[in-house]
């Protein structure tokens, strides 16, 4: 009689894991026994269990003992179990159809993998329920050594696709492993233009992975500083040895020519090092000055790394971002690839059509057809357009740098990359394109700035006049919108500044019309802030009307603490605080009475708000210092202060605020500094 668990697994593998009824029975005693033996490192007992029944299920995922041992990174024990197992038993799969080699590929245990395919070579080509081979698993989890170990065996095809049509290159990108993806693209260039069932190419897929780009990562103030501070080792630029297929247009001579051209291009002058900008005789001096700085930076980094464990994670993130940019550069280097991204869904990708990947019944065909229809419009767009839509400046900048021809392609609505970036409010991308269209011989065509939409008659200035997203509005959003409009207006040729669209409206008229709700919202927020802060200032001013600390000296009429340093600090701090409080009240009153016209949001209102907030903060700080001096004089003014008295006083005053400051700083707070700088711009 066969094993019921094996029979159940076979029934599961006839469909998908989602369609099948998962197992509900668990041999709890056996599960706890295996768990205990693994925790206590009782390898002999585990070997005995594996020898007795290697196919016995351990958990509700129907994993065998070999699956569990490999997942727990027990390499030597797993190799011992494999050696004593029969060859046919190595094909046993779990609930998702994963063999032991799938598990080894997922955890990156190349020693176990070699032991498995040395005993049974056809394991490399085995597929799970998602039709993933161990190669897919290794690529998805970013295990370089494991992936190339499996490839070098020659039994599994690197061109195999999953159920969703994803290739090895797709999997490496989805697994946030751009370093491995670059190696795969260099070794197998045909995968560069491969599409999955949703017609998504690897370069298009990258815009959906936010972890690949620094601009999409939200780091705190301290972590941002540490991220910039972390040094990364230089790449060795070594390629894998073997029969490598060279991508079209990527010969060494061509790369050298492109590097020279890039170095000489005036649009990338900002990327040159300081040393290259100085005369040759200054190079030695620069090296002498920079050399000790590098060592100090490395020393401080090592110290911070020992005190702050997250540094290792930040270094991994930074390396991933750098590798992602190199991958984009490689995938977009050949202009012929850009033509494919625009025409690929029409002329095919050199492989089977998307709908024919592993067809598994009528239901799956319907799902694939519906998904492909829903995504056709999005994935028909060139990668550069997608990057501009998603707001990923590194992605767009890298493509424009290595393949400026990509900017000449339009999206399915006839919009250029500049129009798309302006419409979505991606300002850093717009600044990059503006720099590349300047000069007498610009690298990007000037028609990007003067293009007029044929259907609507809109210029890029009309695109900039659209209202900002409501979820991104604050009290000074109107100032940002006006500054943004002025920036785009400076880019447009003079003859198009007052051009009218199909509705006979200029860009300024459109801006005024579309920003009326924002104008009212900003006015309401500013007046509400003014009322709140005015009430707080008035309350503090009246509450601070206390008597001067200490009695009067009968002989002179001055306070008895008149000559003490603390009293002098108290007097000056109180007067400064009173002055700042009065200034803040007047400015907030002025804001409440302002007419709030559109153009006033550009200069006068933000300036008033800046000084009102600054004087409010200085008033609070000054009164805090005055209150502290007053308390000190009341407690210790009658005697000569000793250190044993000062220490408790200082600790009581500073410990909790310092703790709050440090916690908030590590958690990402900038304490309003960026907001104040934004007010003043």
């Amino acid at each position: 009689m066969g094993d019921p668990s094996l029979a159940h697994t076979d029934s599961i593998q006839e469909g998908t894991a989602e369609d099948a009824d998962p197992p509900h029975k668990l041999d709890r005693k056996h599960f706890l026994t295996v768990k205990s033996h693994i925790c206590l490192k009782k390898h002999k007992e585990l070997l005995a269990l594996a020898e007795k029944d290697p196919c016995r299920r351990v958990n509700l995922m129907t994993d065998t003992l070999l699956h569990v041992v490999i997942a727990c990174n027990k390499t030597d024990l797993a190799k011992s179990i494999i050696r004593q197992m029969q060859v046919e038993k190595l094909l046993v799969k779990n609930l998702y159809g994963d063999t032991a080699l799938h598990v080894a590929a997922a955890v990156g245990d190349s020693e176990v993998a070699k032991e498995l395919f040395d005993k049974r070579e056809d394991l490399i080509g085995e597929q799970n329920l998602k039709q993933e081979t161990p190669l897919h698993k290794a690529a998805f989890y970013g295990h370089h050594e494991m992936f190339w170990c499996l490839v070098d065996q020659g039994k599994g095809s690197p061109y195999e696709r999953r159920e969703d049509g994803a290739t090895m290159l797709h999997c490496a990108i989805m697994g946030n492993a751009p370093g491995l993806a670059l190696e795969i693209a260099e070794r197998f260039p045909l995968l560069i233009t491969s599409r999955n069932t949703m017609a998504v190419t690897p370069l298009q897929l990258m815009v959906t992975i936010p972890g690949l780009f620094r601009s999409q990562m939200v780091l705190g103030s301290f972590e941002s500083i540490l991220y910039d501070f972390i040094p990364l080792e230089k790449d060795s630029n070594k390629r894998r040895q073997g029969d490598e297929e060279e991508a079209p247009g990527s010969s060494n001579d061509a790369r050298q020519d492109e590097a020279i051209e890039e170095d000489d291009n005036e649009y990338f002058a900002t990327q040159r090092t300081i040393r290259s900008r100085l005369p040759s005789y200054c190079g030695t001096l620069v090296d002498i000055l920079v050399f000790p700085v590098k060592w100090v930076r490395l020393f401080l980094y090592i110290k911070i790394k020992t005190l702050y464990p997250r540094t290792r994670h930040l270094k991994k993130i930074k390396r991933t971002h750098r590798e992602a940019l190199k991958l984009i550069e490689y995938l977009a280097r050949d202009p012929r690839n850009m033509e494919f991204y625009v025409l690929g869904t029409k002329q095919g990708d050199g492989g089977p059509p998307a709908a024919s990947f592993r067809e598994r019944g009528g239901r799956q065909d319907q799902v694939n057809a519906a998904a492909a229809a829903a995504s056709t419009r999005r994935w028909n767009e060139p990668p550069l357009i997608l990057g501009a839509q998603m707001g990923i400046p590194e992605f767009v900048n890298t493509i424009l740098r290595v393949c400026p021809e990509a900017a000449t392609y339009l999206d399915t609505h006839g919009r250029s990359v500049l129009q798309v970036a302006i419409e979505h409010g991606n300002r850093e991308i717009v600044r990059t394109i503006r720099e590349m269209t300047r000069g007498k011989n610009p690298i990007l065509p000037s028609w990007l700035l003067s293009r007029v939409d044929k259907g609507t008659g809109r210029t890029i200035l009309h695109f900039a006049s659209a209202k900002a997203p409501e979820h991104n509005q604050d009290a000074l959003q109107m100032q940002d919108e006006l500054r943004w409009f002025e920036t785009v207006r400076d880019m447009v040729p003079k003859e198009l500044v007052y051009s009218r669209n199909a509705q006979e409206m200029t860009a300024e008229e459109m801006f005024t019309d579309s920003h009326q709700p924002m104008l009212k919202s900003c006015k309401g927020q500013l007046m509400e802030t003014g009322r709140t802060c005015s009430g707080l200032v008035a309350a503090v001013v009246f509450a601070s009307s206390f008597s001067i600390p200490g009695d009067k000296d009968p002989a002179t009429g001055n306070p008895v603490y008149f000559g003490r340093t603390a009293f002098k600090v108290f007097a000056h701090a109180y007067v400064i605080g009173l002055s700042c409080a009065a200034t803040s009240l007047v400015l907030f009153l002025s804001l409440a009475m302002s007419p709030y016209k559109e153009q006033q949001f550009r200069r006068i209102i933000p300036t008033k708000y800046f000084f009102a907030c600054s004087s409010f903060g200085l008033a609070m700080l000054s009164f805090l210092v005055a209150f502290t001096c007053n308390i000190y004089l009341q407690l210790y003014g009658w005697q000569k202060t000793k250190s044993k008295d000062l220490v408790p006083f200082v600790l009581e005053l500073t410990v909790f605020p310092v703790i709050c400051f440090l916690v908030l700083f590590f958690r990402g707070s900038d304490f309003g500094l960026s907001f104040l700088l934004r007010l003043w711009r």
Side-chain angles (χ1 to χ4, degrees), residues 39-245:
C39 292
L40 298 176
K41 300 181 179 180
K42 295 183 178 180
H43 293 179
K44 292 183 179 179
E45 289 79 355
L46 290 169
L47 281 171
L49 289 175
E51 185 178 7
K52 182 179 179 181
D53 189 359
C55 297
R56 187 175 181 179
R57 306 300 171 167
V58 175
N59 51 35
L60 289 173
M61 279 296 298
T62 66
D63 289 316
T64 66
L65 181 60
L66 182 58
H67 286 84
V68 174
V69 169
I70 296 174
C72 293
N73 292 310
K74 304 292 183 181
T75 302
D76 295 334
L77 177 60
K79 292 166 67 175
S80 300
I81 294 175
I82 293 169
R83 293 189 187 103
Q84 72 179 20
M85 285 182 66
Q86 299 178 6
V87 176
E88 61 273 8
K89 301 293 185 181
L90 295 176
L91 281 175
V92 177
K93 301 180 179 181
N94 64 7
L95 180 67
Y96 284 159
D98 290 331
T99 64
L101 188 56
H102 283 89
V103 179
V107 301
D109 197 333
S110 55
E111 293 185 29
V112 172
K114 291 178 182 178
E115 194 74 30
L116 282 167
F117 54 65
D118 282 346
K119 194 166 184 178
R120 181 150 192 168
E121 295 180 348
D122 58 348
L123 280 175
I124 300 179
E126 283 295 316
Q127 299 175 343
N128 60 14
L129 297 183
K130 293 182 180 180
Q131 297 184 350
E132 295 173 326
T133 65
L135 271 173
H136 289 100
K137 287 283 188 180
F140 188 84
Y141 287 95
H143 297 306
H144 294 245
E145 182 180 355
M146 170 61 71
F147 181 85
W148 295 114
C149 177
L150 295 174
V151 169
D152 292 341
Q153 294 302 310
K155 302 297 181 182
S157 172
Y159 297 100
E160 284 288 330
R161 297 177 182 260
R162 298 196 317 177
E163 185 180 42
D164 59 357
T167 64
M168 310 298 172
L169 188 54
H170 286 93
C171 290
I173 293 173
M174 287 187 289
N176 213 1
L180 177 59
L182 178 59
E183 294 177 7
I184 295 174
E186 291 175 337
R187 182 80 175 267
F188 308 107
L190 292 179
L191 297 180
I192 295 176
T193 53
S194 59
R195 296 183 184 269
N196 60 14
T197 55
M198 305 293 287
V200 185
T201 63
L203 188 57
Q204 291 171 322
L205 182 63
M206 292 187 71
V207 301
T208 65
I209 313 295
L212 294 176
F213 306 102
R214 172 66 181 93
S215 62
Q216 308 301 302
M217 299 289 293
V218 180
L219 298 177
S221 302
F222 175 74
E223 290 187 341
S224 297
I225 296 173
L226 191 58
Y227 177 93
D228 297 331
F229 192 77
I230 292 175
L232 289 180
E233 63 278 2
K234 294 183 179 179
D235 292 337
S236 60
N237 295 325
K238 292 182 179 179
R239 296 176 176 269
R240 288 185 51 82
Q241 300 295 326
D243 299 329
E244 296 186 7
E245 301 177 56

Side-chain angles (χ1 to χ4, degrees), residues 275-543:
R275 190 182 191 279
S276 63
R277 300 178 186 177
L278 296 175
S280 57
Y281 57 82
C282 294
T284 305
L285 178 60
V286 172
D287 292 338
I288 294 174
L289 295 176
V290 171
F291 184 75
V293 173
K294 291 181 178 179
W295 280 105
V296 171
R297 180 183 176 189
L298 182 61
F299 174 77
L300 292 176
Y301 165 70
I302 294 174
K303 286 294 183 182
I304 295 175
K305 184 177 180 181
T306 57
L307 298 175
Y308 193 57
R310 185 166 164 77
T311 304
R312 182 176 300 175
H313 179 64
L314 290 174
K315 185 174 183 179
K316 181 180 179 181
I317 291 175
K318 187 172 184 178
R319 183 182 293 109
T320 299
H321 294 163
R322 185 179 68 175
E323 291 173 347
L325 296 182
K326 292 182 179 180
L327 176 60
I328 296 170
E329 182 177 345
Y330 186 81
L331 296 180
R333 185 176 293 277
D334 192 346
R336 288 174 291 183
N337 290 341
M338 287 298 147
E339 297 177 3
F340 165 81
Y341 291 125
V342 179
L343 305 173
T345 53
K346 298 179 181 179
Q347 65 186 23
D349 63 353
S356 68
F357 291 141
R358 310 284 199 277
E359 295 181 350
R360 296 176 7 131
R363 178 177 177 275
Q364 186 64 31
D365 288 341
Q366 295 174 2
V367 172
N368 288 343
S375 66
T376 298
R377 181 180 297 268
R378 178 179 184 183
W379 300 119
N380 271 354
E381 310 292 2
L384 188 63
I385 298 294
L386 293 178
Q389 289 178 351
M390 301 292 289
I392 308 177
E394 307 100 303
F395 184 87
V396 175
N397 296 352
T398 305
I399 292 180
L400 289 178
R401 180 167 56 86
V402 300
C403 185
E405 297 91 333
T408 62
Y409 293 109
L410 307 179
D411 69 354
T412 54
H413 300 285
R415 299 173 303 180
S416 67
V417 61
L418 180 59
Q419 291 173 324
V420 172
I422 292 175
E423 187 173 20
H424 288 80
N426 299 320
R427 304 180 183 186
E428 188 174 346
I429 296 175
V430 173
R431 284 194 291 268
T432 299
I433 297 176
R434 179 182 60 181
E435 292 299 321
M436 299 180 71
T437 53
R438 286 180 172 178
K440 297 181 179 179
N441 184 27
I443 191 170
L444 293 184
S446 59
W447 61 257
L448 290 173
L449 306 178
S450 59
R451 180 175 175 79
V452 179
D453 190 79
K454 294 182 179 179
T456 61
R458 295 191 298 173
T459 64
I460 60 173
L461 194 56
H462 286 90
F463 281 95
S465 64
K467 186 176 66 173
E470 294 184 359
H471 67 273
N472 194 32
Q473 294 182 10
D474 56 28
L476 292 176
Q477 183 63 35
M478 195 68 185
Q479 181 197 24
D480 291 341
E481 291 296 305
L482 286 167
R483 188 186 302 116
W484 169 240
F485 186 80
E486 291 176 2
T487 300
V488 179
R489 185 174 59 190
D490 293 339
M491 298 169 55
V492 178
K494 290 185 177 181
E495 66 270 15
L496 296 178
V497 172
Y498 297 105
S499 174
R500 297 183 178 272
N501 60 8
Q503 287 76 35
E504 291 297 321
M505 296 181 68
T506 63
E508 289 190 4
E509 293 172 345
M510 280 189 61
F511 183 91
T512 301
D513 184 64
S514 63
H515 285 76
Q516 284 299 322
M518 181 183 292
L519 186 66
K520 295 179 181 179
S521 175
C522 292
K523 177 182 177 180
Q525 293 184 55
L526 286 173
M527 294 186 69
E528 181 65 26
T529 303
R531 283 193 292 266
T532 303
C533 294
S534 298
L536 289 174
V537 170
V540 172
V541 169
F542 285 116

Side-chain angles (χ1 to χ4, degrees), residues 571-674:
H572 293 300
Y574 182 72
V575 173
I576 292 173
L578 187 61
S579 174
C580 291
T583 304
S584 179
L585 282 171
V586 172
L587 288 173
F588 279 123
L589 180 62
S590 175
L591 282 172
M593 300 175 62
S594 294
Y596 287 98
K597 294 182 179 179
E598 180 182 291
Q599 290 302 321
Q600 287 185 324
F601 272 92
R602 182 63 183 93
R603 295 288 183 189
I604 185 61
I605 290 179
T607 304
K608 285 183 181 180
Y609 196 49
F610 171 80
F611 282 111
C613 292
S614 300
S615 57
F616 176 79
L618 288 174
M620 296 298 102
L621 181 61
S622 299
F623 283 131
L624 178 62
V625 173
F627 294 159
T628 302
C629 292
N630 186 25
I631 294 172
Y632 170 77
L633 290 171
Q634 296 289 352
L635 294 176
Y636 304 107
W638 53 272
Q639 65 179 1
K640 187 176 181 180
T641 308
K642 299 179 181 179
S643 58
K644 65 178 182 180
D645 298 324
L646 282 178
V647 171
F649 179 76
V650 173
L651 290 178
E652 291 168 354
L653 185 67
T654 60
V655 166
F656 187 72
V658 169
I659 291 175
C660 291
F661 176 85
L662 292 176
V663 171
L664 291 174
F665 182 69
F666 277 95
R667 290 290 181 178
S669 176
D670 58 4
F671 303 99
L673 295 178
S674 61

Side-chain angles (χ1 to χ4, degrees), residues 31-42:
F31 171 78
L32 293 176
T33 300
V34 172
K35 183 178 180 180
S36 175
H37 289 345
I38 291 176
C39 292
L40 298 176
K41 300 181 179 180
K42 295 183 178 180

